Amino acid sequence: MEISVIGCGYLGAVHAASMVELGHEVVGIDVDERRVAALRAGRAPFYEPGFEELLGRTLASGRLRFSADVAEAAGARVHFVCVGTPQRHGEYAADLRFVQAAVESLLGVLEPGQLVVGKSTVPVGTAARLAGLVAEKVPGALLAWNPEFLREGFAVADTLHPDRLVYGLPGGVDGALAERLLDAVYAPILARGTPKVRTDHATAEMVKTAANSFLATKISFINAMAELCEATGADVAQLADAIGYDERIGRRFLNAGLGFGGGCLPKDIRAFMARAGELGADQALTFLREVDNINMRRRIRMVELAREVLDGSLLGKHVAVLGAAFKPDSDDIRDSPALNVAAQLQLQGAVVCVTDPAAIDNSRRQWPQLDYAATAEEAAAGADAVLVLTEWRQYRELDPVAFGRVVAQRRVLDGRNALDREAWTAAGWTYRALGRRTD
Ligand code: UDX
């Protein structure tokens, strides 16, 4: 099938190449000419494991092309909208201007019988509004909402092997036609028995925000437990293991530490609260404000912990920060807890050197006043304390004995509860972590 994908960021670029992998012919459209040029040349414009290989393979098939001109989307049977919905400046609500622009630009090429499929995360009610616009301007064209659940770092696997497909369909015969087109797009995935949920526009939009709100709540729950553990001397990692054995609870997303960041969870819970307010249902989501508060408190607590370990003052102390991306296997620094803590430490007088395997360039652009080093050893040379704030494998696997030789003081703060406490302590390090006993 001929497919267009509008917006070639983390979501769209991976989606475009994955649709080729499924057997389709795809054009990816993006307004950013540099991004289009990189993708055409087979270069990933962002760090995502496995994506560059997939891009190379699918470009070589001759069925994938990229363009900055939406006219190239003409003739495609299905048009996926994969643009960003960032938080609006100074507000909680989502900024829908890119989604609006993408759909409006498609109106010029859209024909009756073709399907527009929204994948972006949008406030509930957006799809119905856009479906009205499409129906008015191009009678006979359809709109469905098909949210995407991919995680950065696992984007390729999540796109090719999703755990479920959610179709938000229009009513009546239009719904049946849209479903048939989506089934044809996803045929190889459906053939594996992947669950499919058919529903209306509003439910499909809410599935995405509800899922992200649940995940954020789970993380903040364990981080609230970490606060209590700090107050009582209990150990949050053992607590998480013990409650996680209960299948109803489950151990995943119960890793206490610096909390959640990134381009999705923080802004999605805020946009969800804003939308609930507009709908007169704000009380239903006031708990998400607390989820957000607990999450942001972890960053402040980390700075306090660093001050404590550094004998009560950050002034002039050399601090190495290992990790700047919001999570490992990503170069994404949007609302990164690690970078937020690094910047706060610097603003409060510490001399901070940051390292990250993938996110240094992005970090330097946002925080040029921090020092950067290529490796953990360089960042930690002569440091008074080392903070591990993003749990990249190379930091988890550091040898505490050898690493201990480069620092001035063997003090490590494990912001992600990712290090082997016993090994670090045995190597003479003072080990501190959020929600863990100090012994
Ligand atoms: C998330 C959702 O998981 C995904 O389904 C959705 O499509 C987009 O948003 P992503 O932002 O890529 O994906 O990252 P995720 O793996 O969910 O992690 C989000 C944040 O939570 C990271 O900062 C991570 O470090 C943190 N986290 C995650 C924890 O603090 N503890 C955990 O136990 C898990």
Side-chain angles (χ1 to χ4, degrees), residues 92-171:
Y92 268 15
D95 185 346
L96 292 179
R97 106 180 82 146
F98 305 114
V99 172
Q100 187 70 26
V103 173
E104 280 174 10
S105 74
L106 273 175
L107 294 174
V109 299
L110 202 58
E111 292 171 36
Q114 294 182 351
L115 175 66
V116 177
V117 183
K119 288 197 86 67
S120 310
T121 303
V122 291
V124 55
T126 307
R129 186 174 56 73
L130 294 172
L133 178 68
V134 165
E136 182 198 323
K137 303 286 185 197
V138 188
L142 309 165
L143 183 134
W145 218 261
N146 169 222
E148 179 56 59
F149 304 100
L150 67 80
R151 298 159 298 167
E152 287 179 27
F154 300 92
V156 173
D158 285 352
T159 307
L160 289 170
H161 301 273
D163 44 20
R164 77 285 209 192
L165 291 168
V166 177
Y167 295 1
L169 301 167

Coordinates of all heavy atoms in Angstrom, one line a residue, residues 92-171:
Y92 N -0.2 24.4 31.0 CA -0.1 22.9 31.0 C -0.6 22.3 29.7 O -0.3 21.1 29.4 CB -1.1 22.4 32.2 CG -0.4 22.3 33.5 CD1 0.9 22.8 33.7 CD2 -1.0 21.5 34.5 CE1 1.5 22.6 35.0 CE2 -0.4 21.4 35.7 CZ 0.9 21.9 36.0 OH 1.5 21.7 37.2
A93 N -1.4 23.0 29.0 CA -2.1 22.4 27.8 C -1.1 22.0 26.7 O 0.0 22.6 26.7 CB -3.1 23.4 27.3
A94 N -1.5 21.1 25.9 CA -0.7 20.7 24.7 C -0.8 21.8 23.6 O -1.9 22.4 23.4 CB -1.1 19.4 24.2
D95 N 0.3 21.9 22.9 CA 0.3 22.8 21.8 C 0.0 22.0 20.5 O 0.8 21.2 20.1 CB 1.7 23.4 21.6 CG 1.8 24.5 20.6 OD1 0.9 24.6 19.7 OD2 2.8 25.2 20.5
L96 N -1.2 22.3 19.9 CA -1.7 21.5 18.8 C -1.4 22.1 17.5 O -1.9 21.6 16.4 CB -3.2 21.3 19.0 CG -3.6 20.4 20.2 CD1 -5.1 20.3 20.2 CD2 -3.0 19.0 20.0
R97 N -0.5 23.1 17.5 CA -0.4 23.8 16.2 C 0.3 22.9 15.1 O -0.1 23.1 13.9 CB 0.3 25.1 16.4 CG 1.7 25.3 16.0 CD 2.2 26.7 16.4 NE 2.5 26.8 17.8 CZ 3.5 27.5 18.2 NH1 4.1 28.3 17.4 NH2 3.8 27.5 19.5
F98 N 1.1 22.0 15.5 CA 1.8 21.2 14.5 C 0.8 20.1 13.9 O 0.8 19.8 12.7 CB 3.0 20.5 15.0 CG 4.0 21.4 15.6 CD1 4.3 21.4 17.0 CD2 4.7 22.4 14.8 CE1 5.2 22.4 17.5 CE2 5.6 23.3 15.3 CZ 5.8 23.3 16.7
V99 N 0.0 19.6 14.8 CA -1.1 18.6 14.3 C -2.0 19.4 13.4 O -2.4 18.8 12.3 CB -1.8 18.1 15.5 CG1 -3.0 17.2 15.0 CG2 -0.9 17.2 16.4
Q100 N -2.5 20.5 13.8 CA -3.4 21.3 13.0 C -2.8 21.6 11.6 O -3.4 21.4 10.5 CB -3.7 22.6 13.7 CG -4.8 23.5 13.0 CD -6.2 22.8 13.2 OE1 -6.5 22.1 14.1 NE2 -7.1 23.1 12.2
A101 N -1.5 22.0 11.6 CA -0.8 22.4 10.4 C -0.7 21.1 9.5 O -0.8 21.2 8.3 CB 0.5 23.0 10.6
A102 N -0.3 20.0 10.1 CA -0.1 18.8 9.3 C -1.4 18.4 8.6 O -1.4 18.1 7.4 CB 0.3 17.6 10.2
V103 N -2.5 18.4 9.4 CA -3.8 18.0 8.8 C -4.2 19.0 7.7 O -4.7 18.6 6.6 CB -4.9 17.8 9.9 CG1 -6.3 17.6 9.2 CG2 -4.5 16.7 10.8
E104 N -4.1 20.3 8.0 CA -4.4 21.3 7.0 C -3.6 21.1 5.7 O -4.1 21.3 4.6 CB -4.3 22.7 7.6 CG -5.4 23.1 8.4 CD -5.2 24.4 9.2 OE1 -4.3 25.1 8.8 OE2 -6.1 24.7 10.1
S105 N -2.3 20.8 5.9 CA -1.5 20.7 4.7 C -1.9 19.5 3.9 O -1.8 19.4 2.6 CB 0.0 20.6 5.1 OG 0.3 19.3 5.6
L106 N -2.4 18.4 4.6 CA -2.9 17.2 3.8 C -4.1 17.5 3.0 O -4.4 16.8 2.0 CB -3.1 16.1 4.9 CG -2.0 15.3 5.2 CD1 -2.4 14.3 6.3 CD2 -1.4 14.5 4.0
L107 N -4.9 18.5 3.5 CA -6.2 18.7 2.8 C -6.0 19.0 1.3 O -6.9 18.6 0.5 CB -7.0 19.9 3.4 CG -7.4 19.7 4.9 CD1 -8.0 20.9 5.5 CD2 -8.4 18.5 5.0
G108 N -4.8 19.6 1.0 CA -4.6 19.9 -0.5 C -4.3 18.7 -1.3 O -4.5 18.7 -2.5
V109 N -4.0 17.5 -0.7 CA -3.6 16.3 -1.5 C -4.7 15.2 -1.3 O -4.7 14.2 -2.0 CB -2.2 15.8 -1.2 CG1 -1.2 16.8 -1.5 CG2 -2.1 15.3 0.2
L110 N -5.4 15.4 -0.2 CA -6.3 14.3 0.2 C -7.4 14.0 -0.8 O -8.0 15.0 -1.4 CB -6.9 14.7 1.5 CG -7.5 13.6 2.4 CD1 -6.4 12.6 2.8 CD2 -8.0 14.2 3.7
E111 N -7.8 12.8 -1.0 CA -8.9 12.4 -2.0 C -9.9 11.5 -1.3 O -9.6 10.9 -0.3 CB -8.3 11.6 -3.2 CG -7.4 12.5 -4.1 CD -6.7 11.6 -5.1 OE1 -7.3 10.6 -5.6 OE2 -5.5 11.9 -5.4
P112 N -11.1 11.5 -1.8 CA -12.1 10.7 -1.2 C -11.7 9.2 -1.1 O -11.0 8.8 -2.1 CB -13.3 10.8 -2.1 CG -13.1 12.1 -2.8 CD -11.6 12.3 -2.9
G113 N -12.0 8.5 0.0 CA -11.6 7.1 0.1 C -10.2 7.0 0.8 O -9.9 5.9 1.2
Q114 N -9.5 8.1 0.9 CA -8.2 8.0 1.6 C -8.4 8.2 3.1 O -9.4 8.8 3.5 CB -7.2 9.0 1.1 CG -6.8 8.8 -0.4 CD -5.8 9.8 -0.9 OE1 -5.5 10.8 -0.3 NE2 -5.3 9.5 -2.1
L115 N -7.4 7.8 3.9 CA -7.6 7.8 5.3 C -6.4 8.6 6.0 O -5.3 8.3 5.7 CB -7.6 6.3 5.9 CG -7.6 6.1 7.4 CD1 -8.9 6.6 8.0 CD2 -7.4 4.6 7.7
V116 N -6.8 9.5 6.8 CA -5.8 10.2 7.7 C -5.8 9.5 9.0 O -6.9 9.3 9.6 CB -6.2 11.7 7.9 CG1 -5.3 12.4 8.8 CG2 -6.3 12.5 6.5
V117 N -4.6 9.2 9.5 CA -4.5 8.4 10.8 C -3.7 9.2 11.7 O -2.5 9.4 11.5 CB -3.9 7.0 10.6 CG1 -3.9 6.3 11.9 CG2 -4.6 6.3 9.5
G118 N -4.2 9.7 12.8 CA -3.5 10.5 13.8 C -2.8 9.5 14.7 O -3.4 8.5 15.2
K119 N -1.4 9.7 14.9 CA -0.7 8.9 15.9 C -0.2 9.8 17.0 O 0.2 9.2 18.1 CB 0.5 8.2 15.2 CG 0.1 7.1 14.3 CD 1.2 6.1 13.9 CE 1.4 5.0 14.9 NZ 0.3 4.1 15.0
S120 N -0.2 11.1 16.8 CA 0.3 12.0 17.9 C -0.6 11.9 19.1 O -1.7 11.6 19.0 CB 0.3 13.4 17.4 OG 0.9 13.5 16.1
T121 N 0.0 12.2 20.3 CA -0.7 12.2 21.5 C -1.5 13.6 21.6 O -0.8 14.6 21.7 CB 0.2 12.0 22.7 OG1 0.9 10.8 22.5 CG2 -0.6 12.0 24.0
V122 N -2.8 13.5 21.6 CA -3.6 14.7 21.6 C -4.6 14.8 22.7 O -5.1 13.7 23.2 CB -4.3 14.9 20.2 CG1 -3.3 15.2 19.1 CG2 -5.2 13.7 19.9
P123 N -5.1 15.9 23.1 CA -6.2 16.0 24.1 C -7.5 15.4 23.5 O -7.7 15.6 22.3 CB -6.4 17.5 24.3 CG -5.2 18.2 23.7 CD -4.6 17.3 22.7
V124 N -8.2 14.7 24.4 CA -9.4 14.1 23.9 C -10.4 15.1 23.3 O -10.5 16.2 23.8 CB -10.1 13.3 25.1 CG1 -10.3 14.1 26.3 CG2 -11.3 12.6 24.6
G125 N -10.9 14.8 22.1 CA -11.8 15.7 21.4 C -11.1 16.2 20.1 O -11.8 16.7 19.2
T126 N -9.8 16.1 20.1 CA -9.1 16.6 18.9 C -9.5 15.9 17.6 O -9.7 16.5 16.6 CB -7.6 16.5 19.1 OG1 -7.3 17.2 20.3 CG2 -6.8 17.2 18.0
A127 N -9.5 14.6 17.7 CA -9.8 13.7 16.5 C -11.2 14.1 16.0 O -11.3 14.2 14.7 CB -9.7 12.3 16.9
A128 N -12.2 14.2 16.8 CA -13.5 14.5 16.3 C -13.5 15.8 15.6 O -14.2 16.0 14.5 CB -14.5 14.5 17.5
R129 N -12.8 16.8 16.1 CA -12.8 18.1 15.5 C -12.1 18.0 14.1 O -12.6 18.5 13.1 CB -12.0 19.1 16.4 CG -12.0 20.5 15.9 CD -11.4 21.5 17.0 NE -10.0 21.1 17.4 CZ -9.0 21.3 16.6 NH1 -9.1 21.7 15.4 NH2 -7.8 20.9 17.1
L130 N -11.0 17.3 14.1 CA -10.2 17.2 12.8 C -11.0 16.4 11.8 O -11.0 16.6 10.6 CB -8.8 16.6 13.1 CG -7.9 17.4 13.9 CD1 -6.6 16.7 14.2 CD2 -7.5 18.7 13.1
A131 N -11.7 15.4 12.3 CA -12.6 14.5 11.4 C -13.6 15.4 10.7 O -13.9 15.3 9.5 CB -13.2 13.4 12.2
G132 N -14.2 16.4 11.5 CA -15.1 17.3 11.0 C -14.5 18.2 9.9 O -15.1 18.4 8.8
L133 N -13.3 18.6 10.1 CA -12.6 19.5 9.1 C -12.3 18.7 7.8 O -12.6 19.2 6.7 CB -11.2 19.9 9.7 CG -10.3 20.7 8.9 CD1 -10.9 22.1 8.6 CD2 -8.9 20.9 9.6
V134 N -11.9 17.4 8.0 CA -11.6 16.6 6.8 C -12.8 16.3 6.0 O -12.9 16.5 4.8 CB -10.9 15.3 7.3 CG1 -10.9 14.2 6.2 CG2 -9.5 15.5 7.8
A135 N -13.9 16.0 6.7 CA -15.2 15.7 6.1 C -15.7 16.9 5.3 O -16.3 16.8 4.2 CB -16.2 15.2 7.1
E136 N -15.5 18.1 5.9 CA -16.0 19.3 5.3 C -15.2 19.7 4.0 O -15.8 20.0 3.0 CB -15.9 20.4 6.3 CG -16.4 21.8 5.8 CD -15.9 22.9 6.7 OE1 -15.8 22.7 7.9 OE2 -15.6 24.0 6.1
K137 N -13.9 19.5 4.1 CA -13.1 20.0 3.0 C -12.9 18.9 1.9 O -12.8 19.2 0.7 CB -11.6 20.3 3.5 CG -11.6 21.4 4.5 CD -12.0 22.8 3.9 CE -11.8 23.9 5.0 NZ -12.5 25.1 4.6
V138 N -12.9 17.6 2.3 CA -12.7 16.5 1.3 C -13.8 15.5 1.6 O -13.5 14.4 2.3 CB -11.3 15.9 1.4 CG1 -11.1 14.9 0.2 CG2 -10.2 17.0 1.4
P139 N -15.0 15.7 1.2 CA -16.1 14.7 1.5 C -15.6 13.3 1.0 O -15.1 13.2 -0.1 CB -17.3 15.2 0.7 CG -17.0 16.7 0.5 CD -15.5 16.8 0.4
G140 N -15.9 12.3 1.8 CA -15.5 11.0 1.4 C -14.1 10.5 2.0 O -13.8 9.4 1.9
A141 N -13.3 11.5 2.4 CA -12.0 11.2 3.1 C -12.3 10.9 4.6 O -13.3 11.4 5.1 CB -11.0 12.3 3.0
L142 N -11.5 10.0 5.2 CA -11.8 9.6 6.5 C -10.7 9.9 7.5 O -9.5 10.1 7.1 CB -11.9 8.0 6.5 CG -12.9 7.4 5.5 CD1 -12.6 5.9 5.3 CD2 -14.3 7.7 5.9
L143 N -11.0 9.9 8.8 CA -10.0 10.1 9.8 C -10.1 9.1 11.0 O -11.2 8.9 11.5 CB -10.0 11.5 10.3 CG -9.0 11.9 11.4 CD1 -8.3 13.2 11.1 CD2 -9.5 11.9 12.8
A144 N -9.0 8.5 11.3 CA -9.0 7.6 12.5 C -7.9 8.0 13.4 O -7.0 8.7 13.0 CB -8.7 6.1 12.0
W145 N -8.0 7.6 14.7 CA -6.9 7.8 15.6 C -6.3 6.5 16.1 O -7.0 5.6 16.5 CB -7.3 8.7 16.8 CG -6.2 9.6 17.2 CD1 -5.3 9.5 18.2 CD2 -5.9 10.9 16.5 NE1 -4.5 10.6 18.1 CE2 -4.8 11.4 17.1 CE3 -6.5 11.5 15.4 CZ2 -4.2 12.6 16.7 CZ3 -5.9 12.7 15.0 CH2 -4.8 13.2 15.6
N146 N -5.0 6.4 16.0 CA -4.3 5.1 16.2 C -3.0 5.4 17.0 O -2.0 5.6 16.5 CB -3.9 4.6 14.8 CG -3.0 3.4 14.8 OD1 -2.0 3.3 14.0 ND2 -3.2 2.5 15.7
P147 N -3.2 5.6 18.4 CA -2.1 6.1 19.2 C -0.9 5.1 19.2 O -1.1 3.9 18.9 CB -2.7 6.1 20.6 CG -3.9 5.2 20.6 CD -4.4 5.3 19.2
E148 N 0.2 5.7 19.5 CA 1.5 5.0 19.4 C 2.0 4.9 20.8 O 2.0 5.9 21.6 CB 2.4 5.9 18.6 CG 3.8 5.3 18.4 CD 3.8 3.9 17.8 OE1 3.2 3.8 16.7 OE2 4.3 3.0 18.5
F149 N 2.5 3.7 21.2 CA 3.0 3.5 22.6 C 4.5 3.3 22.6 O 5.0 2.8 23.6 CB 2.3 2.3 23.2 CG 0.8 2.5 23.1 CD1 0.0 1.8 22.2 CD2 0.1 3.3 24.0 CE1 -1.3 2.0 22.1 CE2 -1.3 3.5 24.0 CZ -2.0 2.8 23.0
L150 N 5.2 3.7 21.6 CA 6.6 3.3 21.6 C 7.4 4.1 22.6 O 7.1 5.2 23.0 CB 7.3 3.6 20.2 CG 7.4 5.0 19.6 CD1 8.7 5.7 20.2 CD2 7.6 4.9 18.1
R151 N 8.5 3.3 23.1 CA 9.4 3.9 24.1 C 10.7 4.3 23.4 O 11.1 3.5 22.6 CB 9.7 2.9 25.2 CG 8.6 2.4 26.0 CD 8.9 1.1 26.7 NE 9.1 0.0 25.7 CZ 9.7 -1.1 25.9 NH1 10.1 -1.4 27.1 NH2 9.8 -2.0 25.0
E152 N 11.2 5.4 23.7 CA 12.5 5.7 23.1 C 13.5 4.7 23.6 O 13.4 4.2 24.7 CB 13.0 7.2 23.6 CG 12.1 8.2 22.8 CD 12.5 9.6 23.2 OE1 13.6 9.9 23.6 OE2 11.6 10.5 23.1
G153 N 14.5 4.4 22.8 CA 15.4 3.3 23.1 C 15.0 2.0 22.6 O 15.8 1.1 22.4
F154 N 13.6 1.8 22.5 CA 13.1 0.6 22.0 C 12.1 0.8 20.8 O 11.2 0.1 20.6 CB 12.3 -0.2 23.1 CG 13.1 -0.5 24.3 CD1 13.2 0.4 25.4 CD2 13.8 -1.7 24.3 CE1 14.0 0.1 26.5 CE2 14.6 -2.0 25.4 CZ 14.7 -1.1 26.5
A155 N 12.3 2.0 20.2 CA 11.3 2.5 19.2 C 11.1 1.5 18.1 O 9.9 1.2 17.7 CB 11.7 3.8 18.7
V156 N 12.2 0.9 17.6 CA 12.0 0.0 16.4 C 11.2 -1.3 16.8 O 10.3 -1.6 16.2 CB 13.4 -0.4 15.9 CG1 13.3 -1.4 14.8 CG2 14.1 0.9 15.3
A157 N 11.7 -1.9 17.9 CA 11.0 -3.1 18.4 C 9.5 -2.8 18.7 O 8.6 -3.6 18.4 CB 11.7 -3.7 19.6
D158 N 9.3 -1.7 19.4 CA 7.9 -1.3 19.8 C 7.0 -1.1 18.6 O 5.8 -1.4 18.6 CB 7.9 -0.1 20.7 CG 8.4 -0.4 22.1 OD1 8.6 -1.6 22.4 OD2 8.6 0.5 22.9
T159 N 7.6 -0.5 17.5 CA 6.8 -0.2 16.3 C 6.5 -1.5 15.5 O 5.4 -1.7 15.1 CB 7.5 0.8 15.4 OG1 7.8 1.9 16.2 CG2 6.6 1.3 14.3
L160 N 7.5 -2.4 15.4 CA 7.3 -3.6 14.6 C 6.6 -4.7 15.4 O 6.0 -5.6 14.9 CB 8.7 -4.1 14.1 CG 9.3 -3.2 13.0 CD1 10.7 -3.6 12.7 CD2 8.4 -3.3 11.7
H161 N 6.7 -4.6 16.7 CA 6.1 -5.7 17.6 C 5.3 -5.0 18.7 O 5.6 -5.2 19.9 CB 7.2 -6.6 18.2 CG 8.0 -7.3 17.1 ND1 7.6 -8.5 16.6 CD2 9.2 -6.9 16.5 CE1 8.5 -8.8 15.6 NE2 9.5 -7.9 15.6
P162 N 4.3 -4.2 18.4 CA 3.5 -3.6 19.5 C 2.8 -4.6 20.3 O 2.5 -5.7 19.8 CB 2.6 -2.7 18.7 CG 2.4 -3.3 17.4 CD 3.7 -4.0 17.1
D163 N 2.5 -4.2 21.6 CA 1.7 -5.2 22.4 C 0.3 -5.1 22.1 O -0.5 -6.0 22.5 CB 2.1 -5.1 23.9 CG 2.2 -3.7 24.4 OD1 1.6 -2.8 23.7 OD2 2.8 -3.4 25.4
R164 N -0.2 -4.0 21.5 CA -1.6 -3.9 21.1 C -1.7 -2.8 20.0 O -0.8 -2.0 19.9 CB -2.5 -3.6 22.2 CG -2.6 -2.2 22.7 CD -1.4 -1.8 23.6 NE -1.7 -0.8 24.5 CZ -0.7 -0.1 25.2 NH1 0.5 -0.3 25.0 NH2 -1.1 0.8 26.1
L165 N -2.8 -3.0 19.2 CA -3.1 -1.9 18.3 C -4.4 -1.3 18.7 O -5.4 -2.1 19.0 CB -3.2 -2.5 16.8 CG -1.9 -3.0 16.2 CD1 -2.2 -3.8 15.0 CD2 -1.0 -1.8 15.9
V166 N -4.5 0.0 18.7 CA -5.8 0.6 19.1 C -6.3 1.5 17.9 O -5.5 2.3 17.4 CB -5.5 1.6 20.4 CG1 -6.8 2.3 20.7 CG2 -5.1 0.7 21.6
Y167 N -7.5 1.2 17.5 CA -8.1 1.9 16.4 C -9.2 2.8 16.9 O -10.2 2.3 17.4 CB -8.7 1.0 15.4 CG -7.9 0.0 14.6 CD1 -6.5 -0.1 14.8 CD2 -8.5 -0.8 13.6 CE1 -5.7 -1.0 14.0 CE2 -7.7 -1.7 12.9 CZ -6.3 -1.8 13.1 OH -5.6 -2.7 12.4
G168 N -9.1 4.1 16.8 CA -10.2 5.0 17.1 C -10.9 5.3 15.8 O -10.3 6.1 15.0
L169 N -12.1 4.8 15.6 CA -12.7 4.8 14.3 C -13.9 5.7 14.3 O -14.6 5.9 15.3 CB -13.1 3.4 13.9 CG -12.0 2.4 13.8 CD1 -12.6 0.9 13.8 CD2 -11.1 2.6 12.6
P170 N -14.3 6.3 13.1 CA -15.5 7.0 13.0 C -16.7 6.0 13.0 O -16.4 4.8 12.9 CB -15.4 7.6 11.6 CG -14.4 6.9 10.8 CD -13.5 6.3 11.9
G171 N -17.9 6.5 13.1 CA -19.0 5.5 13.2 C -19.5 5.0 11.8 O -19.0 5.5 10.8

